[in-house]
Amino acid sequence: MKELTAQTLFQLSTVTNPVVSPNGKEAIIVVTNLDEQEDTYQAHLYVIDIKTGKQTKLTHAKGKHIAPQWLPSGDGFTYLSNRKGKNQVFLKQGMTDAKQVTNEEHGVLSYVLSPDGTRIAYSAFFKESEENEPDRKPEPLVIDQMKYKSDQRGLHDDRVMRIGSIDLATDNQQWLTTDYYDSQLLDFSGDSRHVLFASDRTENRDFSFSAHAYLINIDSKQERQVTKEACVITGGAVSPDGQTIALLSHRREYENATLPKVILYRSGTEETDLTANVDAFIGDIAIGDFLQHTGSNRLRFSDDGQSLYTLVSSKGSVNIWKFSLNGDHQQLTNTDAHINGFDFHQDEFIVTHSSVVEPSECYRVNHTEKTLSRLTSFNAAFEESFHVSVPEKVKLNRDDGSFVEGWLMKPAFYKEGQQYPLILEVHGGPHAMYAHTYFHEFQLLTAKGYGVLYTNPRGSHGYGQAFVDAVRGDYGGGDFQDLMDILDDVVKTTNWVDESRLGLTGGSYGGFMTNWAVGHTNRFKAAVTQRSISNWISFYGVSDIGYYFSEWQIKAELDEMETLWKHSPIKYVADVETPLLILHGENDLRCPIEQAEQLFIALKRLGKQTRFIRFPEANHELSRSGKPSLRVKRLEAIFGWFEKYLT
């Protein structure tokens, strides 16, 4: 078996976003690969015969071809493609070349195909009177609002996210929303005449984080407001008969730590919470470093409109659940893995599925036995050629009923009787969930001779509302204790761990925790902090989410400097004795690079052992969707630092 390396990324495929044909005999999937030569990503559509597993490639032009949707006739499909630059919707029927349907200057963000297949609704950024001259001079950006930038979008201008529609037969295009408010596309109605969307229309949106849902008639442009109270809306669906609307939403009872709920809206009746008795995250919240184009957080009505299907994240696994409109609920799959996408025909479910040893493949679900039958083998060569480490579940139970859960990975070429260094990995969020999913960084470290411990401390999703809320206002307190306690337990109960060679790394919140830990303990021999937070006072004003995230998470406003400083790792920089590597993206607006700059200068000023690596053209998503060459260099930097200090 070969040793896995950072470059092995280029030999892996992720299979995601399955959509089943109207007759239930075929499914289209998205297969994504990293292109080493072009230093980008290639995503192509394949159609699979569900019975035989035979697969045929549908797209061939370079680029990303994603988000497929079958025409109801089954004789064609629509999809998003950047083959001509920006993402546009294309229609493919028969043997002719795909037809470009949209022509939006800034590309299409998302789209839905109407149930009758006659039109699409889509979302795109729009700006009035935009000049297109190639020699246009740069203009200063005038800012009047606090929400003027985001890590995904960059600096905002006057563009607004509109919803448009196009008749596929006539190519007639029209805008359904025209106000100066961003609109989030959710679903088409069963009669193909109405579009469900969400929009925040408050005057001052700097302190507004909720929206209302609306149903708009495509022909008359008449709107009906669905929600009585504003809420955070992350998904939505309309029943086939149009009488019921389901929203994946919440009312910020615990700010951004609030579990989403499936809420029903029916004319003349009170709202119904279908998930009132489910203390779990509705949707896919699993953390990984490889999956692309999943399209997983969606609600789907059953064909008879009496049930809803969605993914649910719990205790490191992501499975399909069924919520009946009568209040019953049922878990339809029972896998210790990560189902990242699904579709169905009648009772036949097709899923894309990742496990700790498998990047992602397509499976058919046995509805009766809740087992999976594999349909694709895009990663067969990887599975046959490379040795990977299979995690063992670890759990620390305390006398007071509290607990910490995680997974321990042995070095890939482990030999009984030898001792090995161990690296503790801390996820971001903090409201996320390490899961039974493929993590290339972890496998690389085990291939290089390290054990890896990754856990879900308090603040993580997957263990209920109280658990995820427990970190707010206590950063560096109970969460840090959770990590140290489970590390102590693993060291105590595992004879192959060399306690003198412990490493630590994490990104975002995990970077904060890395910074915090090295200022409060000297037990780690080396650490790597990534896209981190070091100073909550400056973070308040420079992050795209700072001014409200700090209030939600640290529970301190800007005039509460003592509290912000108390939770800032840079306060404790004089106590740092651990060699610390600092990794940060130049274009990170979530945790801006000034956070890394402050930490590096403070450490160097005191003569501490540190190094700072800046990644150009990289935002907060470097480790997951950044330029492939930079992702490889990041992994090599992490391994190189640990190799220097732990071997």
Side-chain angles (χ1 to χ4, degrees):
M1 301 291 281
K2 293 191 292 186
E3 179 184 304
L4 184 145
T5 68
Q7 286 80 5
T8 307
L9 279 170
F10 295 107
Q11 301 181 43
L12 302 177
S13 300
T14 57
V15 182
T16 56
N17 200 187
V19 287
V20 181
S21 62
N23 63 11
K25 296 181 178 180
E26 297 175 308
I28 298 177
I29 55 174
V30 179
V31 181
T32 305
N33 296 90
L34 284 72
D35 186 328
E36 186 172 11
Q37 184 175 1
E38 300 287 338
D39 200 17
T40 187
Y41 298 80
Q42 303 290 335
H44 287 284
L45 305 181
Y46 286 75
V47 64
I48 302 171
D49 185 299
I50 292 175
K51 185 176 181 180
T52 66
K54 180 183 177 182
Q55 57 201 36
T56 304
K57 193 174 184 179
L58 298 175
T59 56
H60 299 275
K62 284 188 175 182
K64 295 181 182 178
H65 314 284
I66 60 175
Q69 296 187 36
W70 286 94
L71 295 175
S73 60
D75 64 351
F77 57 92
T78 55
Y79 62 101
L80 279 178
S81 173
N82 66 355
R83 58 190 281 189
K84 295 185 178 180
K86 300 287 187 179
N87 266 347
Q88 306 291 348
V89 179
F90 283 77
L91 169 64
K92 172 66 175 173
Q93 284 183 290
M95 299 300 293
T96 60
D97 192 23
K99 170 188 173 182
Q100 183 174 330
V101 175
T102 60
N103 188 30
E104 292 301 326
E105 181 177 354
H106 304 293
V108 171
L109 301 170
S110 65
Y111 82 100
V112 287
L113 178 67
S114 64
D116 64 7
T118 62
R119 62 183 103 191
I120 63 162
Y122 67 94
S123 62
F125 284 119
F126 177 85
K127 183 177 180 181
E128 294 281 3
S129 305
E130 189 154 29
E131 299 178 17
N132 299 314
E133 295 88 349
D135 58 347
R136 183 183 178 193
K137 296 178 181 178
E139 293 286 339
L141 180 63
V142 179
I143 298 169
D144 294 311
Q145 297 178 333
M146 298 169 77
K147 290 181 183 175
Y148 69 91
K149 62 182 178 181
S150 61
D151 190 65
Q152 182 179 28
R153 183 174 164 183
L155 294 177
H156 297 188
D157 53 18
D158 293 333
R159 297 173 196 169
V160 63
M161 193 187 303
R162 280 188 173 184
I163 295 175
S165 71
I166 291 182
D167 188 301
L168 295 180
T170 66
D171 295 330
N172 180 50
Q173 189 272 354
Q174 61 176 332
W175 291 112
L176 301 180
T177 60
T178 57
D179 294 327
Y180 191 70
Y181 305 102
D182 285 345
S183 296
Q184 173 191 358
L185 178 63
L186 296 173
D187 198 15
F188 246 112
S189 65
D191 61 8
S192 299
R193 296 177 56 201
H194 300 81
V195 171
L196 179 67
F197 69 96
S199 185
D200 179 5
R201 297 179 177 179
T202 54
E203 192 64 30
N204 180 4
R205 292 187 293 282
D206 282 337
F207 293 96
S208 178
F209 305 95
S210 301
H212 281 289
Y214 301 87
L215 203 62
I216 188 169
N217 184 290
I218 290 180
D219 300 317
S220 68
K221 307 293 195 308
Q222 288 188 335
E223 288 182 358
R224 175 170 71 86
Q225 184 173 307
V226 176
T227 48
K228 294 180 181 179
E229 294 183 47
C231 51
V232 176
I233 300 172
T234 55
V238 184
S239 64
D241 64 5
Q243 298 304 304
T244 305
I245 292 172
L247 296 179
L248 189 59
S249 63
H250 65 79
R251 294 213 171 100
R252 297 176 51 222
E253 293 91 341
Y254 304 90
E255 298 296 358
N256 61 323
T258 310
L259 296 182
K261 306 169 181 64
V262 179
I263 307 296
L264 296 185
Y265 296 84
R266 288 179 273 200
S267 180
T269 63
E270 293 294 319
E271 300 172 11
T272 303
D273 181 1
L274 289 186
T275 52
N277 297 319
V278 178
D279 192 19
F281 185 92
I282 310 301
D284 177 6
I285 197 68
I287 285 285
D289 67 349
F290 197 72
L291 288 176
Q292 304 282 330
H293 314 303
T294 58
S296 57
N297 284 329
R298 61 175 182 166
L299 297 173
R300 288 288 310 279
F301 270 98
S302 59
D303 293 335
D304 63 7
Q306 296 305 303
S307 301
L308 280 153
Y309 302 108
T310 189
L311 296 177
V312 175
S313 301
S314 179
K315 299 178 181 177
S317 298
V318 184
N319 282 285
I320 304 172
W321 286 49
K322 175 182 178 181
F323 293 92
S324 300
L325 269 59
N326 65 10
D328 295 336
H329 62 266
Q330 176 186 6
Q331 184 175 326
L332 297 184
T333 58
N334 189 25
T335 177
D336 286 334
H338 177 198
I339 293 179
N340 55 70
F342 73 93
D343 199 10
F344 61 89
H345 178 262
Q346 297 176 355
D347 289 332
E348 180 88 28
F349 277 80
I350 302 297
V351 303
T352 47
H353 160 288
S354 173
S355 74
V356 292
V357 298
E358 175 190 289
S360 193
E361 297 286 356
C362 187
Y363 286 76
R364 181 173 62 244
V365 178
N366 182 313
H367 185 67
T368 304
E369 299 177 5
K370 299 182 181 181
T371 56
L372 304 181
S373 301
R374 186 161 164 172
L375 293 173
T376 63
S377 298
F378 286 92
N379 291 291
F382 163 75
E383 293 168 5
E384 294 168 3
S385 302
F386 292 92
H387 190 81
V388 294
S389 178
V390 180
E392 305 169 14
K393 188 174 180 179
V394 292
K395 188 173 183 179
L396 171 66
N397 292 299
R398 300 189 181 100
D399 292 339
D400 63 1
S402 64
F403 64 89
V404 194
E405 186 173 85
W407 295 266
L408 179 64
M409 302 173 74
K410 290 180 179 178
F413 299 96
Y414 169 83
K415 292 182 180 179
E416 192 70 37
Q418 293 190 12
Q419 283 201 314
Y420 298 88
L422 178 70
I423 296 171
L424 174 64
E425 292 265 4
V426 187
H427 68 60
H431 309 310
M433 180 183 77
Y434 273 145
H436 304 283
T437 194
Y438 182 79
F439 222 115
H440 194 72
E441 180 180 326
F442 298 175
Q443 293 293 354
L444 171 64
L445 291 172
T446 63
K448 298 298 183 181
Y450 301 94
V452 173
L453 172 64
Y454 58 104
T455 75
N456 285 324
R458 69 189 70 183
S460 302
H461 275 301
Y463 305 90
Q465 182 63 80
F467 192 89
V468 73
D469 186 54
V471 73
R472 293 199 309 130
D474 190 37
Y475 273 46
D479 50 352
F480 175 60
Q481 196 62 51
D482 282 351
L483 292 166
M484 294 302 100
D485 285 353
I486 196 168
L487 177 63
D488 286 339
D489 191 62
V490 165
V491 169
K492 179 181 177 181
T493 59
T494 308
N495 59 14
W496 57 263
V497 173
D498 183 350
E499 189 176 5
S500 69
R501 292 188 291 163
L502 298 178
L504 172 66
T505 187
S508 195
Y509 165 82
F512 157 82
M513 184 53 69
T514 299
N515 298 340
W516 182 269
V518 297
H520 288 79
T521 178
N522 292 326
R523 69 181 309 177
F524 296 103
K525 196 172 181 182
V528 181
T529 183
Q530 308 171 52
R531 59 190 187 279
S532 71
I533 296 170
S534 64
N535 186 340
W536 287 106
I537 295 175
S538 63
F539 180 83
Y540 192 100
V542 297
S543 168
D544 62 345
I545 62 172
Y547 71 93
Y548 56 87
F549 187 88
S550 299
E551 295 176 12
W552 294 352
Q553 293 291 305
I554 307 301
K555 295 189 175 180
E557 298 186 14
L558 188 55
D559 60 355
E560 298 175 90
M561 293 283 190
E562 289 186 7
T563 301
L564 292 172
W565 187 240
K566 174 184 139 182
H567 290 281
S568 296
I570 201 168
K571 175 183 179 181
Y572 310 97
V573 71
D575 297 322
V576 175
E577 300 297 336
T578 305
L580 182 64
L581 176 64
I582 303 169
L583 308 181
H584 220 106
E586 296 274 6
N587 298 339
D588 192 332
L589 297 181
R590 182 60 39 85
C591 297
I593 198 167
E594 63 89 31
Q595 293 285 305
E597 292 171 334
Q598 290 188 58
L599 182 61
F600 174 71
I601 294 300
L603 288 167
K604 288 297 281 187
R605 178 66 181 83
L606 295 173
K608 307 294 184 178
Q609 188 64 44
T610 186
R611 174 177 291 169
F612 183 18
I613 302 179
R614 303 168 69 112
F615 291 83
E617 303 177 42
N619 67 1
H620 202 63
E621 296 300 307
L622 167 63
S623 65
R624 296 177 280 262
S625 59
K627 280 196 170 186
S629 62
L630 294 180
R631 290 179 63 182
V632 169
K633 289 183 183 300
R634 169 189 164 272
L635 290 170
E636 290 175 340
I638 294 169
F639 161 64
W641 192 255
F642 287 133
E643 184 179 42
K644 181 177 180 179
Y645 289 100
L646 298 186
T647 56

